Short mmCIF file of all heavy atoms in Angstrom, two decimals:
data_model
loop_
_atom_site.label_atom_id
_atom_site.label_comp_id
_atom_site.label_asym_id
_atom_site.label_seq_id
_atom_site.Cartn_x
_atom_site.Cartn_y
_atom_site.Cartn_z
N HIS A 745 4.04 -87.60 -42.72
CA HIS A 745 4.23 -87.44 -44.17
C HIS A 745 5.27 -88.47 -44.62
O HIS A 745 6.37 -88.52 -44.09
CB HIS A 745 4.72 -86.03 -44.50
CG HIS A 745 4.95 -85.80 -45.97
ND1 HIS A 745 3.90 -85.67 -46.86
CD2 HIS A 745 6.10 -85.72 -46.69
CE1 HIS A 745 4.39 -85.50 -48.08
NE2 HIS A 745 5.71 -85.52 -47.99
N GLY A 746 4.87 -89.30 -45.58
CA GLY A 746 5.78 -90.31 -46.08
C GLY A 746 6.28 -91.26 -45.03
O GLY A 746 7.42 -91.74 -45.11
N GLY A 747 5.43 -91.56 -44.05
CA GLY A 747 5.84 -92.50 -42.99
C GLY A 747 6.62 -91.84 -41.87
O GLY A 747 6.99 -92.49 -40.90
N HIS A 748 6.90 -90.54 -41.98
CA HIS A 748 7.63 -89.79 -40.95
C HIS A 748 6.68 -88.99 -40.09
O HIS A 748 5.61 -88.57 -40.54
CB HIS A 748 8.63 -88.83 -41.59
CG HIS A 748 9.77 -89.48 -42.28
ND1 HIS A 748 10.97 -89.73 -41.65
CD2 HIS A 748 9.92 -89.94 -43.54
CE1 HIS A 748 11.80 -90.33 -42.49
NE2 HIS A 748 11.19 -90.45 -43.65
N TYR A 749 7.10 -88.74 -38.85
CA TYR A 749 6.41 -87.77 -38.01
C TYR A 749 6.78 -86.38 -38.54
O TYR A 749 7.96 -86.01 -38.53
CB TYR A 749 6.84 -87.92 -36.56
CG TYR A 749 6.23 -86.86 -35.63
CD1 TYR A 749 4.86 -86.89 -35.32
CD2 TYR A 749 7.02 -85.85 -35.07
CE1 TYR A 749 4.32 -85.94 -34.47
CE2 TYR A 749 6.46 -84.91 -34.22
CZ TYR A 749 5.11 -84.95 -33.93
OH TYR A 749 4.57 -84.03 -33.09
N ALA A 750 5.81 -85.63 -39.02
CA ALA A 750 6.11 -84.37 -39.69
C ALA A 750 4.94 -83.38 -39.53
O ALA A 750 4.22 -83.09 -40.49
CB ALA A 750 6.42 -84.59 -41.16
N PRO A 751 4.73 -82.87 -38.30
CA PRO A 751 3.65 -81.88 -38.13
C PRO A 751 3.98 -80.58 -38.86
O PRO A 751 5.14 -80.26 -39.07
CB PRO A 751 3.62 -81.66 -36.62
CG PRO A 751 5.00 -82.00 -36.16
CD PRO A 751 5.49 -83.10 -37.06
N GLY A 752 2.96 -79.85 -39.22
CA GLY A 752 3.16 -78.59 -39.91
C GLY A 752 3.80 -77.56 -38.98
O GLY A 752 3.88 -77.77 -37.76
N PRO A 753 4.29 -76.44 -39.53
CA PRO A 753 4.89 -75.40 -38.69
C PRO A 753 3.89 -74.84 -37.70
O PRO A 753 2.77 -74.51 -38.04
CB PRO A 753 5.34 -74.33 -39.71
CG PRO A 753 4.53 -74.60 -40.94
CD PRO A 753 4.26 -76.05 -40.95
N ASN A 754 4.34 -74.75 -36.42
CA ASN A 754 3.47 -74.26 -35.35
C ASN A 754 2.10 -74.96 -35.33
O ASN A 754 1.06 -74.34 -35.32
CB ASN A 754 3.30 -72.74 -35.46
CG ASN A 754 4.63 -72.02 -35.33
OD1 ASN A 754 5.44 -72.36 -34.49
ND2 ASN A 754 4.85 -71.05 -36.20
N ALA A 755 2.18 -76.27 -35.39
CA ALA A 755 0.98 -77.11 -35.49
C ALA A 755 0.04 -76.88 -34.32
O ALA A 755 0.47 -76.59 -33.19
CB ALA A 755 1.39 -78.58 -35.56
N GLN A 756 -1.25 -77.01 -34.59
CA GLN A 756 -2.27 -76.92 -33.56
C GLN A 756 -2.11 -78.09 -32.59
O GLN A 756 -2.05 -79.24 -33.00
CB GLN A 756 -3.65 -76.96 -34.19
CG GLN A 756 -4.81 -76.97 -33.22
CD GLN A 756 -5.07 -75.59 -32.64
OE1 GLN A 756 -4.91 -74.59 -33.30
NE2 GLN A 756 -5.46 -75.58 -31.37
N LEU A 757 -2.03 -77.79 -31.30
CA LEU A 757 -1.90 -78.84 -30.31
C LEU A 757 -3.25 -79.30 -29.78
O LEU A 757 -4.22 -78.53 -29.78
CB LEU A 757 -1.03 -78.35 -29.14
CG LEU A 757 0.45 -78.11 -29.41
CD1 LEU A 757 1.17 -77.69 -28.14
CD2 LEU A 757 1.12 -79.35 -29.99
N ALA A 758 -3.29 -80.53 -29.32
CA ALA A 758 -4.49 -81.06 -28.70
C ALA A 758 -4.77 -80.29 -27.42
O ALA A 758 -3.85 -79.83 -26.74
CB ALA A 758 -4.30 -82.55 -28.37
N ALA A 759 -6.04 -80.15 -27.09
CA ALA A 759 -6.45 -79.32 -25.94
C ALA A 759 -5.86 -79.81 -24.61
O ALA A 759 -5.65 -79.01 -23.70
CB ALA A 759 -7.97 -79.30 -25.87
N PHE A 760 -5.56 -81.11 -24.52
CA PHE A 760 -5.05 -81.65 -23.25
C PHE A 760 -3.56 -81.38 -23.06
O PHE A 760 -3.00 -81.66 -21.98
CB PHE A 760 -5.33 -83.13 -23.13
CG PHE A 760 -4.91 -83.96 -24.33
CD1 PHE A 760 -3.57 -84.14 -24.67
CD2 PHE A 760 -5.86 -84.55 -25.15
CE1 PHE A 760 -3.21 -84.90 -25.77
CE2 PHE A 760 -5.50 -85.30 -26.27
CZ PHE A 760 -4.17 -85.48 -26.56
N SER A 761 -2.87 -80.85 -24.06
CA SER A 761 -1.42 -80.60 -23.95
C SER A 761 -1.14 -79.59 -22.84
O SER A 761 -1.90 -78.65 -22.59
CB SER A 761 -0.88 -80.07 -25.28
OG SER A 761 -0.98 -81.05 -26.29
N VAL A 762 0.01 -79.78 -22.19
CA VAL A 762 0.43 -78.85 -21.14
C VAL A 762 0.80 -77.52 -21.80
O VAL A 762 1.37 -77.51 -22.89
CB VAL A 762 1.63 -79.44 -20.37
CG1 VAL A 762 2.87 -79.59 -21.23
CG2 VAL A 762 1.95 -78.61 -19.13
N PRO A 763 0.45 -76.39 -21.18
CA PRO A 763 0.90 -75.10 -21.73
C PRO A 763 2.42 -75.03 -21.81
O PRO A 763 3.12 -75.67 -20.99
CB PRO A 763 0.35 -74.08 -20.73
CG PRO A 763 -0.80 -74.75 -20.05
CD PRO A 763 -0.42 -76.21 -20.01
N ALA A 764 2.95 -74.28 -22.75
CA ALA A 764 4.40 -74.23 -22.99
C ALA A 764 5.20 -73.89 -21.73
O ALA A 764 6.28 -74.43 -21.53
CB ALA A 764 4.69 -73.22 -24.10
N GLU A 765 4.69 -73.00 -20.90
CA GLU A 765 5.39 -72.63 -19.68
C GLU A 765 4.81 -73.33 -18.45
O GLU A 765 5.32 -73.19 -17.34
CB GLU A 765 5.38 -71.11 -19.50
CG GLU A 765 6.10 -70.38 -20.63
CD GLU A 765 6.24 -68.89 -20.40
OE1 GLU A 765 6.22 -68.48 -19.24
OE2 GLU A 765 6.37 -68.14 -21.40
N GLY A 766 3.73 -74.08 -18.66
CA GLY A 766 3.06 -74.76 -17.56
C GLY A 766 3.88 -75.88 -16.94
O GLY A 766 3.84 -76.11 -15.73
N TYR A 767 4.62 -76.62 -17.77
CA TYR A 767 5.45 -77.72 -17.25
C TYR A 767 6.51 -77.18 -16.32
O TYR A 767 6.78 -77.76 -15.25
CB TYR A 767 6.07 -78.48 -18.43
CG TYR A 767 6.91 -79.66 -18.00
CD1 TYR A 767 6.37 -80.68 -17.26
CD2 TYR A 767 8.26 -79.74 -18.36
CE1 TYR A 767 7.15 -81.78 -16.87
CE2 TYR A 767 9.04 -80.82 -17.98
CZ TYR A 767 8.49 -81.84 -17.24
OH TYR A 767 9.26 -82.90 -16.85
N GLY A 768 7.08 -76.02 -16.66
CA GLY A 768 8.09 -75.41 -15.80
C GLY A 768 7.52 -75.04 -14.45
O GLY A 768 8.16 -75.25 -13.40
N LYS A 769 6.33 -74.46 -14.46
CA LYS A 769 5.70 -74.09 -13.18
C LYS A 769 5.42 -75.34 -12.34
O LYS A 769 5.68 -75.37 -11.13
CB LYS A 769 4.39 -73.32 -13.42
CG LYS A 769 3.62 -73.07 -12.13
CD LYS A 769 2.42 -72.20 -12.30
CE LYS A 769 1.59 -72.13 -11.00
NZ LYS A 769 2.38 -71.86 -9.78
N PHE A 770 4.91 -76.38 -12.99
CA PHE A 770 4.57 -77.61 -12.27
C PHE A 770 5.82 -78.19 -11.59
O PHE A 770 5.80 -78.49 -10.39
CB PHE A 770 3.97 -78.64 -13.24
CG PHE A 770 3.59 -79.93 -12.60
CD1 PHE A 770 2.33 -80.11 -12.05
CD2 PHE A 770 4.50 -80.99 -12.54
CE1 PHE A 770 1.98 -81.33 -11.45
CE2 PHE A 770 4.15 -82.19 -11.95
CZ PHE A 770 2.90 -82.37 -11.40
N ILE A 771 6.89 -78.35 -12.34
CA ILE A 771 8.09 -78.99 -11.79
C ILE A 771 8.75 -78.13 -10.72
O ILE A 771 9.23 -78.67 -9.69
CB ILE A 771 9.10 -79.33 -12.91
CG1 ILE A 771 8.49 -80.40 -13.85
CG2 ILE A 771 10.43 -79.81 -12.36
CD1 ILE A 771 8.23 -81.76 -13.22
N THR A 772 8.78 -76.82 -10.89
CA THR A 772 9.38 -75.98 -9.85
C THR A 772 8.53 -75.99 -8.58
O THR A 772 9.04 -75.94 -7.48
CB THR A 772 9.61 -74.54 -10.36
OG1 THR A 772 8.38 -74.01 -10.89
CG2 THR A 772 10.68 -74.49 -11.44
N ASP A 773 7.21 -76.07 -8.74
CA ASP A 773 6.34 -76.21 -7.57
C ASP A 773 6.60 -77.53 -6.86
O ASP A 773 6.59 -77.62 -5.62
CB ASP A 773 4.88 -76.10 -7.98
CG ASP A 773 4.46 -74.67 -8.30
OD1 ASP A 773 5.24 -73.73 -8.03
OD2 ASP A 773 3.35 -74.47 -8.85
N ILE A 774 6.79 -78.58 -7.64
CA ILE A 774 7.13 -79.91 -7.07
C ILE A 774 8.46 -79.82 -6.30
O ILE A 774 8.57 -80.35 -5.18
CB ILE A 774 7.21 -80.97 -8.19
CG1 ILE A 774 5.85 -81.28 -8.78
CG2 ILE A 774 7.88 -82.27 -7.68
CD1 ILE A 774 4.92 -82.13 -7.94
N PHE A 775 9.45 -79.17 -6.88
CA PHE A 775 10.76 -79.03 -6.26
C PHE A 775 10.64 -78.31 -4.93
O PHE A 775 11.20 -78.74 -3.90
CB PHE A 775 11.68 -78.26 -7.20
CG PHE A 775 13.12 -78.24 -6.79
CD1 PHE A 775 13.91 -79.38 -6.89
CD2 PHE A 775 13.71 -77.08 -6.30
CE1 PHE A 775 15.26 -79.36 -6.49
CE2 PHE A 775 15.04 -77.05 -5.93
CZ PHE A 775 15.83 -78.19 -6.02
N ASN A 776 9.85 -77.22 -4.91
CA ASN A 776 9.68 -76.45 -3.68
C ASN A 776 8.98 -77.29 -2.61
O ASN A 776 9.36 -77.22 -1.42
CB ASN A 776 8.85 -75.20 -3.95
CG ASN A 776 9.62 -74.18 -4.81
OD1 ASN A 776 10.82 -74.28 -5.00
ND2 ASN A 776 8.90 -73.19 -5.34
N GLU A 777 7.99 -78.05 -3.02
CA GLU A 777 7.25 -78.86 -2.05
C GLU A 777 8.11 -80.00 -1.49
O GLU A 777 8.04 -80.33 -0.31
CB GLU A 777 5.98 -79.42 -2.72
CG GLU A 777 4.93 -79.90 -1.75
CD GLU A 777 4.38 -78.79 -0.84
OE1 GLU A 777 4.57 -77.60 -1.16
OE2 GLU A 777 3.77 -79.14 0.17
N TRP A 778 8.93 -80.57 -2.37
CA TRP A 778 9.89 -81.63 -1.98
C TRP A 778 10.80 -81.11 -0.87
O TRP A 778 11.07 -81.81 0.11
CB TRP A 778 10.67 -82.01 -3.23
CG TRP A 778 11.64 -83.14 -3.14
CD1 TRP A 778 11.42 -84.40 -2.70
CD2 TRP A 778 13.01 -83.07 -3.58
NE1 TRP A 778 12.56 -85.15 -2.83
CE2 TRP A 778 13.54 -84.38 -3.38
CE3 TRP A 778 13.82 -82.12 -4.15
CZ2 TRP A 778 14.86 -84.69 -3.70
CZ3 TRP A 778 15.12 -82.44 -4.48
CH2 TRP A 778 15.65 -83.70 -4.27
N ILE A 779 11.25 -79.87 -1.02
CA ILE A 779 12.13 -79.26 -0.02
C ILE A 779 11.33 -78.87 1.23
O ILE A 779 11.74 -79.15 2.36
CB ILE A 779 12.84 -78.02 -0.62
CG1 ILE A 779 13.79 -78.44 -1.75
CG2 ILE A 779 13.59 -77.25 0.45
CD1 ILE A 779 14.32 -77.30 -2.58
N ARG A 780 10.17 -78.24 1.03
CA ARG A 780 9.36 -77.77 2.15
C ARG A 780 8.97 -78.90 3.10
O ARG A 780 9.00 -78.74 4.32
CB ARG A 780 8.10 -77.07 1.63
CG ARG A 780 7.33 -76.30 2.72
CD ARG A 780 6.04 -75.71 2.20
NE ARG A 780 5.02 -76.73 1.94
CZ ARG A 780 4.27 -77.28 2.90
NH1 ARG A 780 4.44 -76.94 4.18
NH2 ARG A 780 3.38 -78.19 2.60
N GLN A 781 8.64 -80.07 2.53
CA GLN A 781 8.22 -81.19 3.36
C GLN A 781 9.39 -82.01 3.89
O GLN A 781 9.21 -83.03 4.57
CB GLN A 781 7.26 -82.08 2.57
CG GLN A 781 5.95 -81.38 2.22
CD GLN A 781 4.82 -82.36 1.91
OE1 GLN A 781 4.81 -83.48 2.38
NE2 GLN A 781 3.84 -81.88 1.17
N GLY A 782 10.62 -81.60 3.56
CA GLY A 782 11.80 -82.28 4.06
C GLY A 782 11.98 -83.68 3.50
O GLY A 782 12.48 -84.59 4.18
#
């Protein structure tokens, strides 16, 4: 809007977007695997 990035409130996300809590699961799983594999 007016040259600014200005999505509406609670804007609809593209289908490929990561779920809101999905990024947390992914990174914590990565952290665990990093440790598990030494």
Side-chain angles (χ1 to χ4, degrees):
H745 180 73
H748 291 267
Y749 176 71
N754 299 318
Q756 176 76 35
L757 291 182
F760 50 68
S761 295
V762 65
E765 298 187 24
Y767 181 58
K769 174 173 172 49
F770 180 89
I771 294 296
T772 53
D773 286 349
I774 291 285
F775 189 72
N776 291 347
E777 198 61 17
W778 184 54
I779 294 168
R780 191 184 72 80
Q781 296 201 25

